[in-house]
Amino acid sequence: MLLLAGSIVVSLSIGSSGLPLADVWGILIHQLPWMSDPSKQWDASEIAIVTQLRLSRVLLAVFVGACLALAGSGFQGVLRNPLADPFTLGVASGCSVGAAFMIVFGYTAWIGLWSVPIVAFGTGLVTLVIVFALSRARGAMNVESLILSGVIVQAFLGAIVSFMVSMSQGVINEVMFWLMGSLSTRSWEHVQLIMPFAIVGSPLMFRYAQHLNLFVLGERHAAHLGVNVERTKLIVLLISTLLTAVAVSIAGVVGFVGLVVPHLIRLLVGPDYRIIVPLSAIGGGIYLLWADTLARTVLSPKEISLGVVTAIIGAPFFAYLLYRRKVQQGGGASA
Amino acid sequence: MIEAKQVVKRIGNRDILQEISFSVGIGRMYGIIGPNGAGKTTLLQLLSGTDAPTSGEVLFQGQAITSIKRKDLAKRVAVLQQGGIPAAAFTVREVVQMGRFPFQNWLGEESADSEQLIDDAIETMGLTALANRQVDQLSGGERQRVALAKVMVQEPELLLLDEPTTYLDIGYQVQLLDTVKRWQQERQLTVIAVLHDLNLAAHYCDELLVLQHGRTAADGPPSAIMKPELILDVFGARAVILPHPETGVPQLLLAPSVPPSERRS
């Protein structure tokens, strides 16, 4: 929590416009009604940069990161698959198909901002079903074949999204940038959209944390201890997909967050999901906040897309996990 | 306590179980034996309420077991699975604690403190020294003891055992069944055990059910079941039955058709 607060402070203070630190905080504090000090005046554009752009963007990074990390811990727990995350399962791509469709063809006016995540949720679910069906070919679902199915579906869906983008006129640049994962050109509306999901999602997932612990022992053990296995799996998968859909609708496909964060947390605190779930939400916020801060400052004033930053960190991490699994299985230590 | 009425289980178009009926009274130890593929594990799944029969029903204290809420059922029925606890990064104590899950609310709180109960179970199973070790560092036998400690803290009225002695050394086999038997006698626990060792089954169980191709081949007290004709018919093995020299319980000696090779001196 402290680390999260600290990261917010630092990230708020860094930016491409080169505002002095004191001004940034002066403006922010000035916004609080009981702190307003009429003697100080700032430029209207400076106020806008801080409150409209920077603050909203920082909060968005925190919430998107929290959603993705929660979804990752949910997928990993229910599937008992350490390599699962919204991105590697193809769910994020599935959501992006729905979201891109809405954005490219301009149906966003239908029920306002909410229409994008709702449609993204629908296509994300369909994708999850397809990926499961592909990997379950011979009865059991093994760890690698599930991820392989995810990658295949992801490649296909990526092509569909690119095709839709080429068909559209005008908004290509914006959509392409969103696709690669980005938090630029987002506003307070988006913060309002994602905040309830991140805030409700955490306790909802936490309610199933002990169930996920029992899943570690196997589905039968869980069933004999009174867990309604099928219902629990369904609910956790739905929550995870919904959190993914909301995050994708806002930030595009930001890969590997749901993989990296719960793993790091697990390394730090052990296997108990009652600790992993809440810390993943906080850790996801911190992780994405720093990733986004890097994205907008490294080549300042140009921006790198956020998805590029998380992939550069996440893909090698994924490779390492895959390698470690192979070593463990080769050694036969724990099958 | 628990009663199976004309239970049928069909998976695809294969009949796994056909018209199984029996009832087990409170405080009894009931054994299910039979060759591999006879449907023993499937029957145990039906008795645990995690799977529903195709037709017929399982009654737990007069109530259809599938109509009881899963979490309420888990407060009264515990299952010790074949193979025990899988390798996991949880400590022994954490795994044993999981046995209290049916009694916890969503925050993991219980109305009464269960720490003493957990300590006792760990001590009874001789795991005190290992309590803070991770289960993936334990041997198969130690993990099976962890599994038994976990079902102990569940404080069930009915305990189902699925081949609990598989993968255990003979010393541990007897130790485990002794513990269950003692527990059964002390607390009026009802036990239903799938066992593949007929001698252990005859020794520990009050009554035996013999399954063959999903049907009841015989049931009754061990003295009625341990007959050479029945063993030959069901298991396809020639056997000699002798009373145990200490307890008088019928015990089985296999009688191979090929004579032993001559000793070279």
Side-chain angles (χ1 to χ4, degrees), chain A residues 80 203-204 206-229 231 266 269-275 333-335, chain B residues 41 45 48 50 70-71 74 77-81 84-91 94-95 97-102 104 106-108 135-136 143 147 150 154 162:
Chain A
R80 280 178 292 145
L204 210 56
F206 181 75
R207 192 191 169 306
Y208 288 96
Q210 181 69 340
H211 297 61
L212 295 179
N213 282 340
L214 301 183
F215 270 63
V216 172
L217 301 183
E219 287 181 14
R220 275 209 183 159
H221 272 282
H224 292 147
L225 284 169
V227 176
N228 192 328
V229 172
R231 199 178 66 192
R266 195 172 289 131
V269 301
D272 191 338
Y273 276 96
R274 286 171 299 180
I275 304 171
S334 58
Chain B
T41 297
Q45 285 298 117
S48 74
T50 49
R70 286 234 49 82
K71 220 167 168 172
V77 181
V79 181
L80 185 68
Q81 262 175 239
I85 302 286
F90 288 107
T91 66
E94 283 169 335
V95 171
Q97 257 163 354
M98 288 179 188
R100 293 305 291 173
F101 176 78
Q104 292 166 346
W106 70 279
L107 283 169
V135 288
D136 53 9
R143 263 189 245 162
K150 179 171 81 89
Q154 218 175 324
D162 189 1

Side-chain angles (χ1 to χ4, degrees), chain A residues 165-243:
Chain A
V165 172
S166 341
M167 283 197 356
S168 77
Q169 291 111 23
V171 287
I172 292 184
N173 261 333
E174 191 197 328
V175 176
M176 281 310 286
F177 212 67
W178 165 82
L179 257 188
M180 291 162 71
S182 163
L183 288 172
S184 60
T185 70
R186 303 289 126 184
S187 66
W188 278 103
E189 277 182 314
H190 297 96
V191 178
Q192 283 166 14
L193 179 68
I194 196 168
M195 196 166 74
F197 288 95
I199 288 173
V200 174
S202 313
L204 210 56
M205 193 68 92
F206 181 75
R207 192 191 169 306
Y208 288 96
Q210 181 69 340
H211 297 61
L212 295 179
N213 282 340
L214 301 183
F215 270 63
V216 172
L217 301 183
E219 287 181 14
R220 275 209 183 159
H221 272 282
H224 292 147
L225 284 169
V227 176
N228 192 328
V229 172
E230 293 308 316
R231 199 178 66 192
T232 304
K233 280 165 85 172
L234 186 69
I235 293 174
V236 174
L237 288 176
L238 284 177
I239 299 173
S240 301
T241 306
L242 184 62
L243 290 172

Side-chain angles (χ1 to χ4, degrees), chain B residues 185-220:
Chain B
Q185 287 165 348
E186 278 167 17
R187 304 199 201 173
Q188 282 291 294
L189 179 75
T190 310
V191 180
I192 300 179
V194 168
L195 293 167
H196 67 266
D197 187 312
L198 301 183
N199 288 335
L200 290 175
H203 213 108
Y204 288 99
C205 298
D206 304 314
E207 233 180 303
L208 295 174
L209 173 76
V210 188
L211 282 187
Q212 185 183 21
H213 307 309
R215 293 172 190 277
T216 306
D219 60 350

Side-chain angles (χ1 to χ4, degrees), chain A:
Chain A
M1 250 340 195
L2 278 176
L3 198 57
L4 177 64
S7 302
I8 292 177
V9 171
V10 175
S11 177
L12 263 177
S13 317
I14 310 171
S16 55
S17 57
L19 282 175
L21 205 72
D23 281 0
V24 172
W25 286 96
I27 290 170
L28 275 178
I29 291 167
H30 188 70
Q31 295 298 316
L32 299 170
W34 63 92
M35 293 293 287
S36 58
D37 175 4
S39 66
K40 287 199 172 176
Q41 287 301 320
W42 285 279
D43 198 39
S45 70
E46 288 180 344
I47 296 177
I49 285 174
V50 174
T51 62
Q52 292 302 309
L53 298 178
R54 226 179 263 174
L55 184 60
S56 70
R57 184 162 179 165
V58 161
L59 289 177
L60 265 184
V62 170
F63 289 133
V64 168
C67 282
L68 287 173
L70 275 174
S73 63
F75 282 129
Q76 286 169 21
V78 138
L79 300 171
R80 280 178 292 145
N81 186 333
L83 303 178
D85 113 299
F87 183 68
T88 56
L89 285 175
V91 176
S93 303
C95 294
S96 76
V97 170
F101 181 82
M102 297 302 283
I103 294 170
V104 168
F105 295 101
Y107 289 130
T108 42
W110 182 33
I111 23 175
L113 270 176
W114 286 80
S115 54
V116 178
I118 289 170
V119 173
F121 178 52
T123 52
L125 275 184
V126 171
T127 310
L128 195 61
V129 171
I130 295 172
V131 170
F132 283 176
L134 271 177
S135 65
R136 214 195 287 261
R138 265 171 298 158
M141 221 170 8
N142 89 29
V143 173
E144 280 84 4
S145 80
L146 183 66
I147 300 305
L148 187 60
S149 311
V151 170
I152 294 166
V153 169
Q154 194 185 1
F156 181 71
L157 295 175
I160 291 186
V161 172
S162 302
F163 180 69
M164 278 199 290
V165 172
S166 341
M167 283 197 356
S168 77
Q169 291 111 23
V171 287
I172 292 184
N173 261 333
E174 191 197 328
V175 176
M176 281 310 286
F177 212 67
W178 165 82
L179 257 188
M180 291 162 71
S182 163
L183 288 172
S184 60
T185 70
R186 303 289 126 184
S187 66
W188 278 103
E189 277 182 314
H190 297 96
V191 178
Q192 283 166 14
L193 179 68
I194 196 168
M195 196 166 74
F197 288 95
I199 288 173
V200 174
S202 313
L204 210 56
M205 193 68 92
F206 181 75
R207 192 191 169 306
Y208 288 96
Q210 181 69 340
H211 297 61
L212 295 179
N213 282 340
L214 301 183
F215 270 63
V216 172
L217 301 183
E219 287 181 14
R220 275 209 183 159
H221 272 282
H224 292 147
L225 284 169
V227 176
N228 192 328
V229 172
E230 293 308 316
R231 199 178 66 192
T232 304
K233 280 165 85 172
L234 186 69
I235 293 174
V236 174
L237 288 176
L238 284 177
I239 299 173
S240 301
T241 306
L242 184 62
L243 290 172
T244 308
V246 178
V248 167
S249 304
I250 286 167
V253 179
V254 181
F256 300 110
V257 179
L259 182 80
V260 173
V261 175
H263 265 287
L264 291 179
I265 302 287
R266 195 172 289 131
L267 279 178
L268 287 175
V269 301
D272 191 338
Y273 276 96
R274 286 171 299 180
I275 304 171
I276 293 176
V277 166
L279 285 187
S280 285
I282 295 169
I286 297 171
Y287 178 75
L288 209 65
L289 181 56
W290 281 107
D292 187 52
T293 309
L294 279 178
R296 63 193 169 91
T297 51
V298 167
L299 295 182
S300 176
K302 265 172 98 183
E303 274 205 39
I304 322 169
S305 86
L306 180 54
V308 170
V309 177
T310 59
I312 285 174
I313 306 169
F317 190 81
F318 180 69
Y320 161 74
L321 289 177
L322 199 65
Y323 171 76
R324 212 183 53 178
R325 257 185 75 77
K326 243 176 61 186
V327 171
Q328 271 177 2
Q329 282 179 346
S334 58

Side-chain angles (χ1 to χ4, degrees), chain B residues 31-45:
Chain B
I32 301 172
I33 56 175
N36 288 334
K40 292 170 297 190
T41 297
T42 309
L43 180 57
L44 210 68
Q45 285 298 117

